[in-house]
Amino acid sequence: MWRFYPKSFPMLILAGFSLAVVPLIFALINNAVSIRELATKSQRAVYNAVQATQSSRQLIEQITSMERSARQFSILAEPQIFSVFEATHRDFLDTVRRMRGLPLMPSQVRVLDRMAEIENLLFTSVAGLRDQPRMVADLVDDYVNLGDMARSLDAMGREAVGRETAAMQALSTEVNNFIY
């Protein structure tokens, strides 16, 4: 068996110092990696939560706007109002597309898909009655149900934010306990 015997006292001090410092350097590197991972996960979770929350609130506003436009169109029969209705429909579709790109929970995806399906049916029905605006009034109340779905999607997003926050706090506690 080979043993290291320093030939001088300064070499002995250097060897002892090295044996004491190497584990500390390893611990510092490990802590830096853990903290970076925690920061990255936190940023990603916050970003996704903010995006989902903003998008669900945009959906609520867009549904309210479509309902208002459909009501006004059924009463006033103005082509400009129908143009606003169509523009809001396009904005709604864009918001749904952006939300589908986010890491949503399966329940959120189901509600979002169902909302898109119902909104498409409503839009198709309203567009089909463009020449008979008085009949659009019969469809307007369906936007209330769609708004309720959007609010439930928003509530699911808030619940997801709470879960992500709890997970980040648990990870932070774990990293903190490991460091100290």
Side-chain angles (χ1 to χ4, degrees), residues 57-121:
R57 290 188 179 154
Q58 282 178 338
L59 289 177
I60 293 168
E61 291 172 11
Q62 291 161 348
I63 290 167
T64 302
S65 178
M66 284 188 287
E67 176 187 2
R68 188 179 319 111
S69 295
R71 282 188 197 282
Q72 289 174 348
F73 181 70
S74 71
I75 295 167
L76 301 174
E78 293 282 331
Q80 296 86 0
I81 295 173
F82 192 80
S83 296
V84 170
F85 177 77
E86 288 176 316
T88 308
H89 166 73
R90 285 190 299 275
D91 292 343
F92 178 89
L93 294 178
D94 186 51
T95 304
V96 168
R97 181 189 51 75
R98 277 186 283 122
M99 280 191 79
R100 285 184 174 143
L102 296 173
L104 300 174
M105 297 180 311
S107 59
Q108 288 175 302
V109 172
R110 283 191 298 275
V111 170
L112 184 63
D113 289 344
R114 184 70 181 136
M115 284 176 57
E117 179 183 326
I118 290 171
E119 192 280 334
N120 187 48
L121 288 172

Side-chain angles (χ1 to χ4, degrees), residues 2-174:
W2 182 80
R3 293 190 181 185
F4 175 72
Y5 291 105
K7 297 187 190 315
S8 69
F9 186 70
M11 285 297 287
L12 179 62
I13 291 174
L14 182 62
F17 183 72
S18 297
L19 289 174
V21 170
V22 167
L24 291 175
I25 291 172
F26 173 74
L28 285 173
I29 291 170
N30 191 19
N31 289 345
V33 169
S34 296
I35 290 170
R36 182 181 299 136
E37 177 184 321
L38 176 63
T40 301
K41 284 185 178 182
S42 296
Q43 286 175 340
R44 191 176 314 123
V46 168
Y47 176 78
N48 288 336
V50 166
Q51 291 299 311
T53 300
Q54 285 178 343
S55 294
S56 64
R57 290 188 179 154
Q58 282 178 338
L59 289 177
I60 293 168
E61 291 172 11
Q62 291 161 348
I63 290 167
T64 302
S65 178
M66 284 188 287
E67 176 187 2
R68 188 179 319 111
S69 295
R71 282 188 197 282
Q72 289 174 348
F73 181 70
S74 71
I75 295 167
L76 301 174
E78 293 282 331
Q80 296 86 0
I81 295 173
F82 192 80
S83 296
V84 170
F85 177 77
E86 288 176 316
T88 308
H89 166 73
R90 285 190 299 275
D91 292 343
F92 178 89
L93 294 178
D94 186 51
T95 304
V96 168
R97 181 189 51 75
R98 277 186 283 122
M99 280 191 79
R100 285 184 174 143
L102 296 173
L104 300 174
M105 297 180 311
S107 59
Q108 288 175 302
V109 172
R110 283 191 298 275
V111 170
L112 184 63
D113 289 344
R114 184 70 181 136
M115 284 176 57
E117 179 183 326
I118 290 171
E119 192 280 334
N120 187 48
L121 288 172
L122 282 171
F123 177 77
T124 304
S125 298
V126 170
L129 296 173
R130 187 174 188 169
D131 296 330
Q132 302 168 6
R134 300 277 182 240
M135 295 183 72
V136 170
D138 297 335
L139 300 171
V140 171
D141 290 334
D142 292 335
Y143 281 100
V144 173
N145 297 333
L146 195 59
D148 291 341
M149 291 176 77
R151 281 183 278 289
S152 73
L153 184 65
D154 187 45
M156 285 184 225
R158 286 193 308 271
E159 290 171 12
V161 169
R163 278 193 301 279
E164 286 293 328
T165 302
M168 289 302 108
Q169 287 174 341
L171 182 59
S172 174
T173 301
E174 183 180 317

